[in-house]
Amino acid sequence: MLFDPMWIAIMGVSLVLGGITQFYIKSTFKKYSKKQLTRPASGVQVAERTLRQSNLPLAQGSVVGSGNAFGKRPVNIVRSTHGKLSDHFDPRTNTVALSEVVYDKSNVAAAAVAAHEVGHAVQTAQAYLPGRIRSALVPVASIGSQLSIFLIIGGIIIGAGTMIGANLVWLGIALFAAAVLFQIVTLPVEFDASRRAMVLLRESGTLTAAELPAARKVLTAAALTYVAAALIAVLQLMYWIGLARD
């Protein structure tokens, strides 16, 4: 398998596509992080402002609100400790985590990212269906991404022509398919969060009309990383299925 021209081609495409999208998001973020806001506001202030615009309560300090998982719990805003561009929203604790290059920075890129994460908080509060599906897929997708390759290779070593080997291969493919489904479901979730972010940035008056196109470019660059990840996952799944059928 390691010397299969098709596998080598897929890995090559994966590396190139992944590298291009990562370079693009980093260079785009860097470019627009130099564009200071006409109406100064740090990333955390943008998050607070857009949360209020969304009629979502803001938690005091680091206390996590309680209540229904998809109800209007207070939203926490914290500084992420996982490095640059590690911004994310955790629906389990209803927490918006902003990275060091976003949290206390006042620029278009930081504002766009902060509003995007608030968009995820709004999705959770409104029980956005694709978001709920993605959350439900997290456990099996996590297992699938970690174990599938070992099951598939193990089945191939045993012999895909044997019952045990074939069962292992197809079990691995099924788990990997769950991880691929997670990647696909992630796309509408991320696109919708960016759409919400643009609306919030405009309606809250955070960005001027002249700054909005730059924010959209930042969010588009970020979205492309998810598109690339989904495409790579689909290509790999197709390869595994083709291998199992041979």
Side-chain angles (χ1 to χ4, degrees):
M1 182 195 74
L2 292 178
F3 301 102
D4 185 344
M6 181 61 71
W7 177 249
I8 293 174
I10 290 175
M11 288 299 96
V13 170
S14 300
L15 289 172
V16 171
L17 194 57
I20 290 174
T21 53
Q22 284 300 314
F23 173 79
Y24 186 54
I25 178 58
K26 290 179 180 179
S27 61
T28 302
F29 185 90
K30 182 178 180 180
K31 176 180 178 179
Y32 291 108
S33 65
K34 297 176 181 179
K35 188 175 179 61
Q36 300 301 302
L37 296 181
T38 302
R39 304 159 185 158
S42 64
V44 65
Q45 290 172 331
V46 171
E48 292 172 350
R49 184 180 300 172
T50 49
L51 280 170
R52 287 194 296 270
Q53 182 69 27
S54 304
N55 295 316
L56 293 183
L58 180 65
Q60 297 297 319
S62 59
V63 179
V64 178
S66 60
N68 185 280
F70 296 104
K72 289 189 176 182
R73 294 179 295 164
V75 179
N76 296 278
I77 304 175
V78 301
R79 186 191 296 266
S80 173
T81 59
H82 300 294
K84 294 181 179 180
L85 296 180
S86 57
D87 311 86
H88 64 278
F89 173 73
D90 188 341
R92 297 169 300 179
T93 58
N94 223 36
T95 299
V96 170
L98 302 178
S99 66
E100 61 187 61
V101 294
V102 171
Y103 190 89
D104 56 3
K105 301 298 187 292
S106 177
N107 56 65
V108 171
V113 171
H116 175 87
E117 300 309 331
V118 169
H120 285 307
V122 177
Q123 289 174 337
T124 296
Q126 296 181 355
Y128 179 62
L129 183 58
R132 297 183 68 172
I133 294 174
R134 183 175 73 165
S135 294
L137 286 171
V138 167
V140 66
S142 177
I143 293 173
S145 62
Q146 295 176 25
L147 294 182
S148 59
I149 185 67
F150 296 105
L151 291 172
I152 293 171
I153 293 178
I156 292 174
I157 292 174
I158 292 173
T162 66
M163 181 176 293
I164 295 177
N167 287 339
L168 282 177
V169 169
W170 283 109
L171 176 59
I173 289 174
L175 288 174
F176 190 76
V180 174
L181 179 59
F182 176 82
Q183 295 279 8
I184 293 173
V185 173
T186 292
L187 296 179
V189 175
E190 294 298 328
F191 293 155
D192 180 74
S194 291
R195 179 190 63 79
R196 293 174 189 267
M198 292 301 298
V199 172
L200 291 171
L201 289 170
R202 182 181 69 252
E203 293 184 348
S204 65
T206 300
L207 299 186
T208 65
E211 292 168 334
L212 287 171
R216 186 177 299 280
K217 290 180 181 179
V218 172
L219 296 176
T220 298
L224 288 177
T225 63
Y226 293 100
V227 173
L231 178 58
I232 290 169
V234 168
L235 287 175
Q236 292 177 349
L237 177 61
M238 292 173 63
Y239 173 81
W240 293 128
I241 292 175
L243 189 67
R245 286 180 172 177
D246 289 341

